[in-house]
Amino acid sequence: MATVEINRLRKAYGKVEVIHDVDLAIAEGEFVSLIGASGCGKSTLLRMIAGLEPITGGEISLNGRVINAVAPKDRDIAMVFQNYALYPHLTVAENMGFSLRLRNVPKADIAPAVRQAAELLGLDPYLGRYPKELSGGQRQRVAMGRAIVRKPQVFLFDEPLSNLDAKLRVQMRSEIRTLQKRLGTTLIYVTHDQIEAMTMSDKVVVLNAGRIEQVGAPLAVYDRPSNVFVASFIGSPAMNMFEGTLRRSGGESAVQTGDLLVPLPGHSSAADGTDVVLGVRPEHLELGSDGAGHPVFPFRVELVEPTGAELQLHGRIGTTPAVATFRGRLPVREEEVVNLTADPRNFHLFDKLSGERLN
Ligand SMILES: Nc1ncnc2c1ncn2[C@@H]1O[C@H](COP(=O)(O)OP(=O)(O)O)[C@@H](O)[C@H]1O
Ligand SMILES: [Mg+2]
């Protein structure tokens, strides 16, 4: 178990800077996910922590000790890769024991360590097999087993489930989480899949083009995204966004968006006339005018998508595309105009220019 601290970390490939001044503190035993689109710098960040990539500036500390100059093999950090990186000519047991053998751990100690890890991962029946004789999920378990036998202070996982089919991904997700809880080892998990990040992590770190946009508990980030980028990145279908202008008179404020004037109860200290973005999540739009004085959005339905458990309505409010999700079923037809309402407490208000949250 260990703490990891990253201070003003930078990385440039040649003249191109891909990680800009990243600060991040990870507590002992924490499960932290780095999430962001492809190319935003997740793997680079992870590889710098592992020592596989030289850093351009800043510091990485493990348990309060700067490890910038420590060789990868001496960092006591184990990495699991997307492509598993197993040795094809070694058996499962040999693959799992390989790093211990490299460290000259006596044979008599390797076997029990491998057996223990195999037991944790349900790999006992496969110890004598070769990687090509295993399914994708089993290979991924072997890759994890190889990391576990070393009993490292930190695990680094780089998109470990990307090569698995959807059903197995869901299963492995909870297996990894359970395993990490049992071992209590600090784990940094890279993914572009927000459901993985949301369901597995104590803390998510949203990255965008080499910068951290927000750090927080999954639901805290979901409930209060700190800017437009995070608001549109986290959540599926994405948050509906309406561009407008803030109107203030007396103590009241409202957003003028198209023909609609949407009152905001006690919202925002921004000045009258500020260009804003009003956000509301698809699940916070409800059908009908509820009489509670909530604003009403006339919504032209363009597409009805039943998924079974949920119904998604795609359409437009004014000229802005919008999505509303409902549990259960509704007698709504395409091309119909229906009234949607939303509790203003579920509104998100952002400054259009800076993208920063205003409420
Ligand atoms: N060895 C390299 N040389 C030059 N550019 C690189 C190298 N590795 C990654 N990059 C660039 O750095 C950025 C971040 O890459 P990466 O960390 O792999 O992103 P992610 O893992 O989030 O998809 C990308 O723009 C990528 O093209
Ligand atoms: Mg990557």
Side-chain angles (χ1 to χ4, degrees), residues 193-241:
D193 181 336
Q194 53 167 301
I195 301 295
E196 272 177 29
M198 294 292 287
T199 53
M200 298 170 84
S201 323
D202 298 310
K203 196 156 92 181
V204 297
V205 178
V206 183
L207 284 171
N208 174 26
R211 286 197 171 79
I212 293 183
E213 295 279 354
Q214 190 169 2
V215 178
L219 290 180
V221 171
Y222 187 85
D223 290 342
R224 281 188 68 79
S226 52
N227 55 49
V228 168
F229 178 85
V230 176
S232 34
F233 188 77
I234 300 285
S236 177
M239 184 186 287
N240 298 301
M241 301 279 192

Side-chain angles (χ1 to χ4, degrees), residues 201-326:
S201 323
D202 298 310
K203 196 156 92 181
V204 297
V205 178
V206 183
L207 284 171
N208 174 26
R211 286 197 171 79
I212 293 183
E213 295 279 354
Q214 190 169 2
V215 178
L219 290 180
V221 171
Y222 187 85
D223 290 342
R224 281 188 68 79
S226 52
N227 55 49
V228 168
F229 178 85
V230 176
S232 34
F233 188 77
I234 300 285
S236 177
M239 184 186 287
N240 298 301
M241 301 279 192
F242 304 96
E243 291 191 357
T245 310
L246 192 71
R247 293 288 171 227
R248 301 188 68 174
S249 66
E252 311 278 302
S253 46
V255 174
Q256 180 78 52
T257 169
D259 296 338
L260 286 172
L261 187 67
V262 183
L264 302 172
H267 271 64
S268 157
S269 53
D272 181 63
T274 305
D275 288 331
V276 293
V277 176
L278 181 69
V280 56
R281 293 207 179 273
E283 71 270 25
H284 289 144
L285 287 169
E286 293 163 58
L287 205 57
S289 39
D290 61 359
H294 294 164
V296 175
F297 302 89
F299 175 78
R300 174 172 290 282
V301 182
E302 291 174 349
L303 186 68
V304 179
E305 277 190 341
T307 67
E310 255 188 11
L311 187 75
Q312 286 184 10
L313 300 183
H314 298 252
R316 269 166 215 281
I317 292 172
T319 54
T320 308
V323 181
T325 53
F326 301 89

Side-chain angles (χ1 to χ4, degrees), residues 102-121:
L102 271 188
R103 283 173 175 71
N104 296 318
V105 174
K107 256 199 177 134
D109 296 337
I110 295 180
V114 167
R115 221 176 308 121
Q116 200 190 359
E119 215 168 282
L120 262 177
L121 292 159

